[in-house]
Amino acid sequence: MVVGVKMKKLVVLTGAGISAESGLKTFRDMGGLWEQYDVTEVASPEAWRKNPELVMRFYNERRKVLFEATPNAGHMALAALQEHFEVTVITQNVDDLHEQAGSKSVVHLHGELRKAQSTVDSRLVYTLKNWELKMGDLCEKGSQLRPYIVWFGEPVPNMSMAAELAKQADIFAVIGTSLNVYPAAGLLDCISRDVRVYLIDPNMLPVSARKNFTFIKEYASVGVSLMAKELIDALNGF
Ligand code: APR
């Protein structure tokens, strides 16, 4: 009986950059969301208390774009790597483009835009049928629904699971994130020292120059395929 060779674990941390070519705005690029909105007015519990209608509008606008968006070649190339590796995607993104592309193991650190959460019982989470969530949309216990998003200042429930996954990585990749936000960016400190790290970003990042990093200075739609070719060639002993 041929026992399947255990696949190497590829753990990937993605950010808004991998969804940029699908038409979803990033946060800190030119024209990014934090240039248009004050993050404290749309993405914090205080913002929700002060002006829930503005917060709802901010997420409705992004959800409307998401309902029209499709995965790009970067998401697809990452999903295709599941043929050769045990791939886990840890994403800061709240879109579901990794899942739409076929990635089977996706851990969302900052929530999911297609879902809404009860404001009286956080265990109650609902998948939205269309892009608009309104004041007056209630959970089964009669309380207002909020976007299922981890706001600044709120705990990141999946962080310990993500740290455990990063620790077990044989190969780690960072795609489309400026690594500005913690605890997500701290995942880099969880991986073992000898693990190769791929970094895919069209812009230089402070970590680009680290010695065990392979920096692919490309858009995700190009860079992920380049990384995939390198990884598969290495598997086949080229
Ligand atoms: N392909 C790959 N990377 C890209 C592309 C692209 N086509 N376009 C831009 N990038 C890179 C940018 O150079 C930048 O390094 O993606 C990164 C986007 O960084 P941010 O806009 O800071 O997004 P992100 O790192 O995901 O933000 C993290 O901050 O506001 C919070 O919760 C929000 O999850 C978000 C978190």
Side-chain angles (χ1 to χ4, degrees):
M1 175 184 74
V2 177
V3 178
V5 173
K6 193 161 169 28
M7 286 199 196
K8 283 189 180 297
K9 291 183 171 47
L10 168 63
V11 179
V12 187
L13 172 63
T14 66
I18 198 169
S19 297
E21 291 160 275
S22 295
L24 275 61
K25 281 192 182 335
T26 60
F27 294 95
R28 296 171 184 85
D29 279 326
M30 240 90 74
L33 285 165
W34 298 151
E35 262 182 21
Q36 294 168 336
Y37 290 89
D38 175 341
V39 54
T40 60
E41 288 182 0
V42 291
S44 71
E46 296 69 34
W48 175 253
R49 270 194 291 281
K50 205 175 96 192
N51 188 343
E53 291 79 4
L54 174 62
V55 174
M56 282 298 207
R57 199 161 52 248
F58 174 66
Y59 289 97
N60 282 339
E61 279 169 20
R62 294 172 65 197
R63 200 175 298 110
K64 195 172 181 189
V65 173
L66 174 56
F67 269 64
E68 307 298 324
T70 53
N72 62 61
H75 297 107
M76 303 308 285
L78 201 49
L81 273 172
Q82 293 174 123
E83 296 279 306
H84 304 276
F85 296 91
E86 186 187 324
V87 184
T88 300
V89 179
I90 299 168
T91 188
Q92 299 168 90
N93 298 342
V94 292
D95 63 59
D96 62 339
L97 297 178
H98 283 302
E99 292 91 336
Q100 287 190 43
S103 287
K104 297 275 173 281
S105 168
V106 180
V107 176
H108 285 271
L109 294 179
H110 295 163
E112 297 178 63
L113 192 52
R114 282 185 189 272
K115 294 180 179 174
Q117 183 178 36
S118 164
T119 45
V120 77
D121 179 348
S122 59
R123 293 167 304 174
L124 299 177
V125 175
Y126 307 86
T127 299
L128 295 168
K129 298 272 173 296
N130 66 43
W131 60 269
E132 197 172 14
L133 180 62
K134 296 185 294 298
M135 298 312 288
D137 290 346
L138 307 180
C139 76
E140 60 207 71
K141 294 187 173 176
S143 85
Q144 175 63 47
L145 286 173
R146 60 167 268 184
Y148 182 52
I149 299 290
V150 176
W151 284 327
F152 282 96
E154 293 188 316
V156 179
N158 290 335
M159 192 58 209
S160 48
M161 182 210 314
E164 202 36 54
L165 288 163
K167 230 175 271 167
Q168 292 161 22
D170 296 310
I171 308 156
F172 198 82
V174 176
I175 308 173
T177 174
S178 61
L179 293 170
N180 266 305
V181 170
Y182 285 78
L187 285 172
L188 274 184
D189 305 327
C190 303
I191 50 184
S192 324
R193 292 172 53 76
D194 57 345
V195 167
R196 170 144 305 287
V197 180
Y198 284 85
L199 183 69
I200 302 172
D201 199 303
N203 298 315
M204 292 290 283
L205 296 178
V207 294
S208 310
R210 281 194 191 172
K211 64 178 175 34
N212 61 326
F213 276 43
T214 301
F215 177 40
I216 300 176
K217 196 169 185 300
E218 288 284 356
Y219 291 133
S221 60
V222 172
V224 181
S225 303
L226 293 176
M227 174 184 78
K229 182 173 178 342
E230 256 191 52
L231 289 173
I232 295 164
D233 286 353
L235 267 189
N236 300 332
F238 290 121

